[in-house]
Amino acid sequence: MSTRTISILVENHSGTLSRIAGLFSSRGYNISSLTVGETEDASVSRMTIVVAGDDSVIEQVVKQLNRLIDVIKVIDFDNDPIIERELILIRVDSGKGSRHEVVELADIFGASVVHVSASSITLQLASTCDKIDEFIWLIKPFGVKELIRTGKIAMAQPKK
Amino acid sequence: MRKNGAEILIDALIRENVDIIFGYPGGQAIPIFNVLYDTKEIKVVLTRHEQGAAHAAEGYARATGKVGVCLATSGPGATNLVTGIADAYLDSTPLVAITGQVATPYLGTDAFQEVDIVGITRPVTKHNILVKNIKDFPFLIKEAFYIARTGRPGPVLIDIPADISKGFLDDYEYPAEISLRSYRPTTVGHVKQIEKAAALIKTAARPLVFAGGGVISADAHQELFELATKLNAPVTLSLMGLGAFPGEHPLFIGMPGMHGSKTANSALQEADVIISVGVRFDDRVTGHVGAFAPKAKIIHLDIDPATISKIVRVDIPVVGDAKNIVAALVKIVAPRPADAWNDVVNKWKGDTLFAYKNSDKIIKPQFVIEQIYELTKDKDAIITTEVGQTQMWCMQYYKYARPRTCISSGGLGTMGFGLPAAMGASLGRPGALVIDIAGDGSIQMNIQELATISINKIPVKVAIINNEYLGMVRQWQDMFWNKRRSSTCLRGGTLCVECTGSGHCKKPYVPDFVRLAESYDIPGLRATKASEVVPVLQEGLNKEGPVVMEFMVAPEENVYPIVPVGKSLDQAMEEL
């Protein structure tokens, strides 16, 4: 099953998030990730949802989202080119003299060091989801103590 | 103008042309009822249960086309409305449900009679609102009514904390207009799509019109009639659509689906173009979806884009209001003379769409409904139903001539719907003869509303078709569960060791509906033999005011045809 990224502009009310989450859960659709925050207009929030499902599932999701009164606009990126980013914080074991190697790997990916302790190093990386997956895979052997992903945010590339 | 929240609410309701509220008070709703005490413009009907209030508001809305309003207190009052709200949601009935709530400082503290009713009703409302600031209140009421009645109608709940209803707003003004950036239902159909539909219809050798509740909501029955007659296309109506096309018209072929007519089901399976209007292809209509209408290209006109291709893949969708789309279509379709296809359909139809074996001794339930039809067909009659076997017989044997005359719980299948709905219908349409045709199981789910009917002298006629069973479940148990009648006999209860299933149980049936009616000061009549049916109906229907008629019918009668769950429409089982 493929995943699809959907952006939703919604009224910035309490209850809106629950309404949207409920729409997915009541149909048994699984949300892979969900991010939400205010936009340039404080009365509007933007959600980016990554959902797994075939085309007919996505089509239903989009229609059902559009039915919700609090939803202003649904943007289904389909296969359109998008600019996407995800942020992670990752704390890696550096107790056995591996700090240097960890920092080197971080450098390659453009991750920055945000905290260092005697036994660990905490990195931050903002990148595409694919790059982040790759980074996590490569850094895993050093020992990951804690990992937090924000989930993806996405916007369409401007048309030429 | 300075007003408190409760005064604002009632002023807004009057401005929204609300003339009746079905309600039940309680602690957090007292401020609202306090204002209603002096409000001449709005009649308040005190029901005996909040569920009754919700269904009554639905019945009122279904009979009149206006928004129904129900009002309850917080906590259990609010939760008791939920079944009615869900029912309205499934049947796209415009409803505004108003609930009292604990004051805002107590929200989320598990205060006395506090429930998160906005959270509870979120999946069964078109929209719902917790009022947190009195400044927003006038707009939110306007929004609730606007959303409930426009687009695909549905229920909206407004939850009003007590400090809002008691708090004051200095500069109250009710908004004259409303516009929501996030809600703009499409009403005008896309011209290109309508042209495509007309072009496809032109190629049709076996056209079929399949219409539903959307036609009634959109008040599009006249346009539908013009379309069907211009095309000489047979017409089948979903349960929610019955009345949208005259039941006695030669083109009418009955309801389709699980308990639909063989003619309608055959027509769906054989048609090459199906013009569907305001329907949602419910599973009770389609049977096995993969085998539904295999030869047809499907045109689907609906105001809700989310219904398009939700269940059945649609070839030509047209989103918008059924009235103007069908009118536009009527103008551009070429007339089609009746031809061999009509002959085929008429041959399937024969003399009658549905048939049963009558008896001159024991009362057959279908016979009672046929006789009700015969005695009321020339009157302004509205039928409400409960849910189950009797409901299905009402769909098969009563021939609804006009829209808003068949009021039944379609989507949710709510037992206990019919009596309160009849109450609401009767108050909404005071001139009409309103009859609740009930099963003995369903009627008991809101029987307490006989008190409301009696006290308010609401002239509802109740016909109880008493088969002593939860008949539809008993039928399924007999047909598909090896006759294990678990918890379906209303004489015996859960399981009687001595029961042989032969229908010769000697236990008394309780309640005695005639005596029960009389205890509510409502006349009660009973027919136990076939010969008594018509006299009882004549007496009951001609009485002024409310009446309860009980018909002791054949206990083991089944509803036929029946398409078993998971089977296609051509695999109906018929009475042997």
Side-chain angles (χ1 to χ4, degrees), chain B residues 141-181:
Chain B
I141 305 167
K142 182 90 188 168
E143 185 185 28
F145 277 86
Y146 173 64
I147 291 170
R149 87 174 146 242
T150 55
R152 178 176 177 176
V156 178
L157 178 133
I158 322 177
D159 197 24
I160 308 169
D163 55 333
I164 300 287
S165 50
K166 289 188 281 195
F168 277 88
L169 182 64
D170 283 331
D171 50 351
Y172 164 68
E173 202 180 331
Y174 196 59
E177 298 281 319
I178 186 165
S179 164
L180 300 173
R181 62 180 168 185

mmCIF file of all heavy atoms in Angstrom, chain B residues 141-181:
data_model
loop_
_atom_site.group_PDB
_atom_site.id
_atom_site.type_symbol
_atom_site.label_atom_id
_atom_site.label_comp_id
_atom_site.label_asym_id
_atom_site.label_seq_id
_atom_site.Cartn_x
_atom_site.Cartn_y
_atom_site.Cartn_z
ATOM 1 N N ILE B 141 -25.591 30.439 16.442
ATOM 2 C CA ILE B 141 -26.966 29.943 16.239
ATOM 3 C C ILE B 141 -27.328 30.050 14.759
ATOM 4 O O ILE B 141 -27.863 29.119 14.156
ATOM 5 C CB ILE B 141 -27.982 30.731 17.096
ATOM 6 C CG1 ILE B 141 -27.590 30.709 18.575
ATOM 7 C CG2 ILE B 141 -29.383 30.142 16.925
ATOM 8 C CD1 ILE B 141 -28.354 31.717 19.422
ATOM 9 N N LYS B 142 -26.993 31.182 14.188
ATOM 10 C CA LYS B 142 -27.250 31.388 12.750
ATOM 11 C C LYS B 142 -26.537 30.293 11.941
ATOM 12 O O LYS B 142 -27.118 29.696 11.029
ATOM 13 C CB LYS B 142 -26.713 32.775 12.356
ATOM 14 C CG LYS B 142 -26.952 33.152 10.916
ATOM 15 C CD LYS B 142 -28.276 33.861 10.768
ATOM 16 C CE LYS B 142 -28.641 34.080 9.313
ATOM 17 N NZ LYS B 142 -30.036 34.501 9.193
ATOM 18 N N GLU B 143 -25.294 30.046 12.315
ATOM 19 C CA GLU B 143 -24.490 29.038 11.629
ATOM 20 C C GLU B 143 -25.142 27.660 11.737
ATOM 21 O O GLU B 143 -25.232 26.913 10.758
ATOM 22 C CB GLU B 143 -23.085 28.999 12.257
ATOM 23 C CG GLU B 143 -22.108 28.083 11.549
ATOM 24 C CD GLU B 143 -20.766 27.966 12.274
ATOM 25 O OE1 GLU B 143 -20.713 28.127 13.516
ATOM 26 O OE2 GLU B 143 -19.767 27.694 11.593
ATOM 27 N N ALA B 144 -25.640 27.335 12.927
ATOM 28 C CA ALA B 144 -26.247 26.018 13.149
ATOM 29 C C ALA B 144 -27.439 25.798 12.211
ATOM 30 O O ALA B 144 -27.548 24.754 11.560
ATOM 31 C CB ALA B 144 -26.686 25.885 14.605
ATOM 32 N N PHE B 145 -28.306 26.792 12.134
ATOM 33 C CA PHE B 145 -29.490 26.642 11.273
ATOM 34 C C PHE B 145 -29.098 26.610 9.798
ATOM 35 O O PHE B 145 -29.648 25.827 9.019
ATOM 36 C CB PHE B 145 -30.512 27.755 11.556
ATOM 37 C CG PHE B 145 -31.377 27.437 12.732
ATOM 38 C CD1 PHE B 145 -30.965 27.742 14.019
ATOM 39 C CD2 PHE B 145 -32.582 26.778 12.559
ATOM 40 C CE1 PHE B 145 -31.740 27.415 15.116
ATOM 41 C CE2 PHE B 145 -33.377 26.449 13.638
ATOM 42 C CZ PHE B 145 -32.957 26.772 14.926
ATOM 43 N N TYR B 146 -28.146 27.442 9.455
ATOM 44 C CA TYR B 146 -27.686 27.506 8.059
ATOM 45 C C TYR B 146 -27.105 26.153 7.628
ATOM 46 O O TYR B 146 -27.438 25.616 6.568
ATOM 47 C CB TYR B 146 -26.651 28.625 7.940
ATOM 48 C CG TYR B 146 -25.966 28.715 6.610
ATOM 49 C CD1 TYR B 146 -26.683 29.029 5.452
ATOM 50 C CD2 TYR B 146 -24.590 28.509 6.499
ATOM 51 C CE1 TYR B 146 -26.049 29.126 4.229
ATOM 52 C CE2 TYR B 146 -23.942 28.608 5.278
ATOM 53 C CZ TYR B 146 -24.677 28.911 4.146
ATOM 54 O OH TYR B 146 -24.050 28.995 2.942
ATOM 55 N N ILE B 147 -26.280 25.586 8.484
ATOM 56 C CA ILE B 147 -25.650 24.308 8.133
ATOM 57 C C ILE B 147 -26.674 23.172 8.131
ATOM 58 O O ILE B 147 -26.661 22.304 7.263
ATOM 59 C CB ILE B 147 -24.474 24.009 9.100
ATOM 60 C CG1 ILE B 147 -23.331 24.995 8.841
ATOM 61 C CG2 ILE B 147 -23.979 22.570 8.942
ATOM 62 C CD1 ILE B 147 -22.225 24.948 9.874
ATOM 63 N N ALA B 148 -27.586 23.202 9.101
ATOM 64 C CA ALA B 148 -28.569 22.110 9.201
ATOM 65 C C ALA B 148 -29.439 22.017 7.949
ATOM 66 O O ALA B 148 -29.754 20.932 7.478
ATOM 67 C CB ALA B 148 -29.447 22.289 10.439
ATOM 68 N N ARG B 149 -29.822 23.179 7.395
ATOM 69 C CA ARG B 149 -30.822 23.110 6.327
ATOM 70 C C ARG B 149 -30.254 23.177 4.920
ATOM 71 O O ARG B 149 -30.949 22.830 3.967
ATOM 72 C CB ARG B 149 -31.900 24.166 6.565
ATOM 73 C CG ARG B 149 -31.598 25.499 6.000
ATOM 74 C CD ARG B 149 -32.742 26.493 6.121
ATOM 75 N NE ARG B 149 -32.101 27.786 6.330
ATOM 76 C CZ ARG B 149 -32.250 28.524 7.399
ATOM 77 N NH1 ARG B 149 -33.076 28.190 8.348
ATOM 78 N NH2 ARG B 149 -31.586 29.642 7.503
ATOM 79 N N THR B 150 -29.018 23.605 4.749
ATOM 80 C CA THR B 150 -28.473 23.768 3.393
ATOM 81 C C THR B 150 -27.651 22.549 2.985
ATOM 82 O O THR B 150 -27.326 21.690 3.806
ATOM 83 C CB THR B 150 -27.583 25.014 3.312
ATOM 84 O OG1 THR B 150 -26.580 24.913 4.320
ATOM 85 C CG2 THR B 150 -28.383 26.283 3.510
ATOM 86 N N GLY B 151 -27.287 22.516 1.709
ATOM 87 C CA GLY B 151 -26.474 21.417 1.201
ATOM 88 C C GLY B 151 -27.200 20.104 1.426
ATOM 89 O O GLY B 151 -28.407 20.010 1.223
ATOM 90 N N ARG B 152 -26.461 19.091 1.824
ATOM 91 C CA ARG B 152 -27.126 17.864 2.271
ATOM 92 C C ARG B 152 -27.519 18.109 3.719
ATOM 93 O O ARG B 152 -26.643 18.240 4.578
ATOM 94 C CB ARG B 152 -26.163 16.688 2.172
ATOM 95 C CG ARG B 152 -26.765 15.398 2.651
ATOM 96 C CD ARG B 152 -25.798 14.260 2.432
ATOM 97 N NE ARG B 152 -26.295 13.011 2.941
ATOM 98 C CZ ARG B 152 -25.661 11.851 2.802
ATOM 99 N NH1 ARG B 152 -24.509 11.817 2.163
ATOM 100 N NH2 ARG B 152 -26.170 10.757 3.289
ATOM 101 N N PRO B 153 -28.819 18.195 4.013
ATOM 102 C CA PRO B 153 -29.218 18.595 5.371
ATOM 103 C C PRO B 153 -28.734 17.583 6.418
ATOM 104 O O PRO B 153 -28.396 16.442 6.086
ATOM 105 C CB PRO B 153 -30.749 18.606 5.297
ATOM 106 C CG PRO B 153 -31.092 18.621 3.845
ATOM 107 C CD PRO B 153 -29.978 17.918 3.146
ATOM 108 N N GLY B 154 -28.742 18.021 7.659
ATOM 109 C CA GLY B 154 -28.299 17.116 8.722
ATOM 110 C C GLY B 154 -28.425 17.771 10.081
ATOM 111 O O GLY B 154 -28.814 18.934 10.183
ATOM 112 N N PRO B 155 -28.106 17.017 11.125
ATOM 113 C CA PRO B 155 -28.244 17.555 12.472
ATOM 114 C C PRO B 155 -27.032 18.391 12.896
ATOM 115 O O PRO B 155 -25.898 18.059 12.580
ATOM 116 C CB PRO B 155 -28.336 16.286 13.326
ATOM 117 C CG PRO B 155 -27.578 15.256 12.558
ATOM 118 C CD PRO B 155 -27.714 15.602 11.105
ATOM 119 N N VAL B 156 -27.321 19.464 13.606
ATOM 120 C CA VAL B 156 -26.270 20.289 14.209
ATOM 121 C C VAL B 156 -26.601 20.419 15.693
ATOM 122 O O VAL B 156 -27.758 20.651 16.047
ATOM 123 C CB VAL B 156 -26.214 21.694 13.555
ATOM 124 C CG1 VAL B 156 -25.152 22.559 14.221
ATOM 125 C CG2 VAL B 156 -25.947 21.584 12.058
ATOM 126 N N LEU B 157 -25.609 20.229 16.528
ATOM 127 C CA LEU B 157 -25.830 20.350 17.966
ATOM 128 C C LEU B 157 -25.141 21.612 18.488
ATOM 129 O O LEU B 157 -24.010 21.897 18.120
ATOM 130 C CB LEU B 157 -25.291 19.107 18.689
ATOM 131 C CG LEU B 157 -25.419 19.121 20.225
ATOM 132 C CD1 LEU B 157 -25.980 17.796 20.735
ATOM 133 C CD2 LEU B 157 -24.094 19.409 20.904
ATOM 134 N N ILE B 158 -25.878 22.349 19.329
ATOM 135 C CA ILE B 158 -25.275 23.494 20.022
ATOM 136 C C ILE B 158 -25.318 23.209 21.512
ATOM 137 O O ILE B 158 -26.389 22.979 22.074
ATOM 138 C CB ILE B 158 -26.044 24.820 19.811
ATOM 139 C CG1 ILE B 158 -26.581 24.953 18.392
ATOM 140 C CG2 ILE B 158 -25.163 26.014 20.166
ATOM 141 C CD1 ILE B 158 -27.410 26.227 18.220
ATOM 142 N N ASP B 159 -24.155 23.234 22.126
ATOM 143 C CA ASP B 159 -24.035 22.941 23.555
ATOM 144 C C ASP B 159 -23.820 24.272 24.279
ATOM 145 O O ASP B 159 -22.864 24.995 23.984
ATOM 146 C CB ASP B 159 -22.834 22.000 23.749
ATOM 147 C CG ASP B 159 -22.843 21.302 25.083
ATOM 148 O OD1 ASP B 159 -23.933 21.156 25.681
ATOM 149 O OD2 ASP B 159 -21.746 20.894 25.540
ATOM 150 N N ILE B 160 -24.718 24.576 25.218
ATOM 151 C CA ILE B 160 -24.715 25.914 25.820
ATOM 152 C C ILE B 160 -24.461 25.839 27.325
ATOM 153 O O ILE B 160 -25.356 25.481 28.104
ATOM 154 C CB ILE B 160 -26.065 26.620 25.561
ATOM 155 C CG1 ILE B 160 -26.399 26.592 24.060
ATOM 156 C CG2 ILE B 160 -26.017 28.059 26.072
ATOM 157 C CD1 ILE B 160 -27.821 27.022 23.756
ATOM 158 N N PRO B 161 -23.265 26.171 27.754
ATOM 159 C CA PRO B 161 -22.988 26.182 29.191
ATOM 160 C C PRO B 161 -23.890 27.174 29.926
ATOM 161 O O PRO B 161 -24.292 28.199 29.363
ATOM 162 C CB PRO B 161 -21.513 26.624 29.261
ATOM 163 C CG PRO B 161 -20.948 26.267 27.926
ATOM 164 C CD PRO B 161 -22.074 26.470 26.956
ATOM 165 N N ALA B 162 -24.176 26.859 31.182
ATOM 166 C CA ALA B 162 -25.146 27.656 31.950
ATOM 167 C C ALA B 162 -24.692 29.097 32.125
ATOM 168 O O ALA B 162 -25.520 30.010 32.163
ATOM 169 C CB ALA B 162 -25.382 26.993 33.300
ATOM 170 N N ASP B 163 -23.379 29.335 32.214
ATOM 171 C CA ASP B 163 -22.944 30.728 32.370
ATOM 172 C C ASP B 163 -23.116 31.520 31.073
ATOM 173 O O ASP B 163 -23.192 32.750 31.108
ATOM 174 C CB ASP B 163 -21.498 30.821 32.880
ATOM 175 C CG ASP B 163 -20.517 30.054 32.024
ATOM 176 O OD1 ASP B 163 -20.928 29.061 31.377
ATOM 177 O OD2 ASP B 163 -19.338 30.439 31.971
ATOM 178 N N ILE B 164 -23.220 30.824 29.952
ATOM 179 C CA ILE B 164 -23.526 31.511 28.689
ATOM 180 C C ILE B 164 -25.017 31.856 28.653
ATOM 181 O O ILE B 164 -25.403 32.968 28.317
ATOM 182 C CB ILE B 164 -23.149 30.641 27.467
ATOM 183 C CG1 ILE B 164 -21.648 30.314 27.465
ATOM 184 C CG2 ILE B 164 -23.598 31.300 26.161
ATOM 185 C CD1 ILE B 164 -20.730 31.445 27.121
ATOM 186 N N SER B 165 -25.864 30.903 29.019
ATOM 187 C CA SER B 165 -27.303 31.189 28.940
ATOM 188 C C SER B 165 -27.725 32.230 29.983
ATOM 189 O O SER B 165 -28.698 32.946 29.794
ATOM 190 C CB SER B 165 -28.142 29.913 29.030
ATOM 191 O OG SER B 165 -27.766 29.139 30.119
ATOM 192 N N LYS B 166 -26.968 32.312 31.073
ATOM 193 C CA LYS B 166 -27.311 33.306 32.101
ATOM 194 C C LYS B 166 -26.531 34.612 31.942
ATOM 195 O O LYS B 166 -26.898 35.629 32.508
ATOM 196 C CB LYS B 166 -27.042 32.722 33.502
ATOM 197 C CG LYS B 166 -28.058 31.638 33.885
ATOM 198 C CD LYS B 166 -27.918 31.196 35.323
ATOM 199 C CE LYS B 166 -26.779 30.219 35.514
ATOM 200 N NZ LYS B 166 -26.806 29.491 36.792
ATOM 201 N N GLY B 167 -25.435 34.556 31.185
ATOM 202 C CA GLY B 167 -24.593 35.749 31.012
ATOM 203 C C GLY B 167 -25.226 36.742 30.056
ATOM 204 O O GLY B 167 -26.133 36.400 29.289
ATOM 205 N N PHE B 168 -24.750 37.976 30.088
ATOM 206 C CA PHE B 168 -25.362 39.037 29.280
ATOM 207 C C PHE B 168 -24.455 39.509 28.149
ATOM 208 O O PHE B 168 -23.230 39.512 28.262
ATOM 209 C CB PHE B 168 -25.734 40.235 30.169
ATOM 210 C CG PHE B 168 -27.058 40.030 30.842
ATOM 211 C CD1 PHE B 168 -27.123 39.377 32.078
ATOM 212 C CD2 PHE B 168 -28.233 40.458 30.239
ATOM 213 C CE1 PHE B 168 -28.339 39.166 32.700
ATOM 214 C CE2 PHE B 168 -29.457 40.254 30.868
ATOM 215 C CZ PHE B 168 -29.511 39.606 32.095
ATOM 216 N N LEU B 169 -25.104 39.900 27.071
ATOM 217 C CA LEU B 169 -24.404 40.532 25.953
ATOM 218 C C LEU B 169 -25.059 41.904 25.766
ATOM 219 O O LEU B 169 -26.281 41.998 25.633
ATOM 220 C CB LEU B 169 -24.561 39.665 24.697
ATOM 221 C CG LEU B 169 -23.865 40.137 23.419
ATOM 222 C CD1 LEU B 169 -22.352 40.144 23.586
ATOM 223 C CD2 LEU B 169 -24.245 39.230 22.244
ATOM 224 N N ASP B 170 -24.250 42.942 25.748
ATOM 225 C CA ASP B 170 -24.815 44.300 25.716
ATOM 226 C C ASP B 170 -25.354 44.690 24.348
ATOM 227 O O ASP B 170 -26.366 45.362 24.246
ATOM 228 C CB ASP B 170 -23.748 45.312 26.160
ATOM 229 C CG ASP B 170 -23.577 45.273 27.670
ATOM 230 O OD1 ASP B 170 -24.563 44.950 28.355
ATOM 231 O OD2 ASP B 170 -22.453 45.526 28.147
ATOM 232 N N ASP B 171 -24.653 44.267 23.329
ATOM 233 C CA ASP B 171 -25.030 44.763 21.992
ATOM 234 C C ASP B 171 -25.483 43.604 21.107
ATOM 235 O O ASP B 171 -24.925 43.364 20.046
ATOM 236 C CB ASP B 171 -23.861 45.509 21.356
ATOM 237 C CG ASP B 171 -22.566 44.694 21.407
ATOM 238 O OD1 ASP B 171 -22.570 43.630 22.091
ATOM 239 O OD2 ASP B 171 -21.574 45.079 20.773
ATOM 240 N N TYR B 172 -26.516 42.896 21.589
ATOM 241 C CA TYR B 172 -27.002 41.754 20.806
ATOM 242 C C TYR B 172 -27.660 42.207 19.511
ATOM 243 O O TYR B 172 -28.499 43.113 19.505
ATOM 244 C CB TYR B 172 -28.008 40.931 21.622
ATOM 245 C CG TYR B 172 -28.828 39.987 20.758
ATOM 246 C CD1 TYR B 172 -28.225 38.888 20.139
ATOM 247 C CD2 TYR B 172 -30.198 40.194 20.546
ATOM 248 C CE1 TYR B 172 -28.970 38.034 19.336
ATOM 249 C CE2 TYR B 172 -30.943 39.342 19.742
ATOM 250 C CZ TYR B 172 -30.324 38.267 19.143
ATOM 251 O OH TYR B 172 -31.045 37.425 18.344
ATOM 252 N N GLU B 173 -27.270 41.540 18.456
ATOM 253 C CA GLU B 173 -27.932 41.744 17.174
ATOM 254 C C GLU B 173 -27.840 40.422 16.435
ATOM 255 O O GLU B 173 -26.775 39.801 16.408
ATOM 256 C CB GLU B 173 -27.192 42.835 16.400
ATOM 257 C CG GLU B 173 -28.068 43.489 15.351
ATOM 258 C CD GLU B 173 -27.298 44.572 14.609
ATOM 259 O OE1 GLU B 173 -26.381 45.179 15.209
ATOM 260 O OE2 GLU B 173 -27.605 44.776 13.436
ATOM 261 N N TYR B 174 -28.957 39.968 15.863
ATOM 262 C CA TYR B 174 -28.899 38.684 15.159
ATOM 263 C C TYR B 174 -28.421 38.919 13.731
ATOM 264 O O TYR B 174 -28.963 39.780 13.036
ATOM 265 C CB TYR B 174 -30.276 38.018 15.148
ATOM 266 C CG TYR B 174 -30.198 36.545 14.786
ATOM 267 C CD1 TYR B 174 -29.443 35.664 15.545
ATOM 268 C CD2 TYR B 174 -30.857 36.048 13.677
ATOM 269 C CE1 TYR B 174 -29.354 34.329 15.217
ATOM 270 C CE2 TYR B 174 -30.778 34.706 13.335
ATOM 271 C CZ TYR B 174 -30.015 33.846 14.119
ATOM 272 O OH TYR B 174 -29.919 32.523 13.779
ATOM 273 N N PRO B 175 -27.395 38.174 13.297
ATOM 274 C CA PRO B 175 -26.880 38.430 11.948
ATOM 275 C C PRO B 175 -27.947 38.146 10.884
ATOM 276 O O PRO B 175 -28.677 37.162 10.970
ATOM 277 C CB PRO B 175 -25.693 37.479 11.813
ATOM 278 C CG PRO B 175 -25.781 36.518 12.941
ATOM 279 C CD PRO B 175 -26.662 37.113 13.987
ATOM 280 N N ALA B 176 -28.021 39.018 9.895
ATOM 281 C CA ALA B 176 -29.013 38.843 8.838
ATOM 282 C C ALA B 176 -28.513 37.841 7.799
ATOM 283 O O ALA B 176 -29.273 37.058 7.239
ATOM 284 C CB ALA B 176 -29.319 40.181 8.185
ATOM 285 N N GLU B 177 -27.241 37.869 7.559
ATOM 286 C CA GLU B 177 -26.650 37.032 6.512
ATOM 287 C C GLU B 177 -25.548 36.192 7.131
ATOM 288 O O GLU B 177 -24.986 36.557 8.157
ATOM 289 C CB GLU B 177 -26.011 37.918 5.434
ATOM 290 C CG GLU B 177 -26.978 38.832 4.701
ATOM 291 C CD GLU B 177 -27.747 38.086 3.645
ATOM 292 O OE1 GLU B 177 -27.126 37.252 2.951
ATOM 293 O OE2 GLU B 177 -28.973 38.296 3.541
ATOM 294 N N ILE B 178 -25.228 35.115 6.456
ATOM 295 C CA ILE B 178 -24.078 34.340 6.908
ATOM 296 C C ILE B 178 -23.323 33.813 5.702
ATOM 297 O O ILE B 178 -23.922 33.450 4.681
ATOM 298 C CB ILE B 178 -24.503 33.186 7.853
ATOM 299 C CG1 ILE B 178 -23.258 32.505 8.417
ATOM 300 C CG2 ILE B 178 -25.413 32.201 7.149
ATOM 301 C CD1 ILE B 178 -23.537 31.611 9.601
ATOM 302 N N SER B 179 -22.028 33.814 5.828
ATOM 303 C CA SER B 179 -21.192 33.239 4.777
ATOM 304 C C SER B 179 -20.023 32.560 5.468
ATOM 305 O O SER B 179 -19.391 33.137 6.357
ATOM 306 C CB SER B 179 -20.715 34.367 3.853
ATOM 307 O OG SER B 179 -19.643 33.903 3.085
ATOM 308 N N LEU B 180 -19.777 31.316 5.127
ATOM 309 C CA LEU B 180 -18.684 30.572 5.755
ATOM 310 C C LEU B 180 -17.658 30.228 4.680
ATOM 311 O O LEU B 180 -18.004 29.624 3.670
ATOM 312 C CB LEU B 180 -19.214 29.276 6.384
ATOM 313 C CG LEU B 180 -20.273 29.410 7.476
ATOM 314 C CD1 LEU B 180 -20.807 28.031 7.861
ATOM 315 C CD2 LEU B 180 -19.679 30.094 8.699
ATOM 316 N N ARG B 181 -16.435 30.593 4.917
ATOM 317 C CA ARG B 181 -15.423 30.324 3.895
ATOM 318 C C ARG B 181 -15.186 28.823 3.731
ATOM 319 O O ARG B 181 -14.731 28.366 2.700
ATOM 320 C CB ARG B 181 -14.104 31.022 4.233
ATOM 321 C CG ARG B 181 -13.484 30.558 5.537
ATOM 322 C CD ARG B 181 -12.181 31.269 5.823
ATOM 323 N NE ARG B 181 -11.746 31.027 7.188
ATOM 324 C CZ ARG B 181 -10.688 31.602 7.739
ATOM 325 N NH1 ARG B 181 -9.973 32.450 7.048
ATOM 326 N NH2 ARG B 181 -10.366 31.326 8.980
#
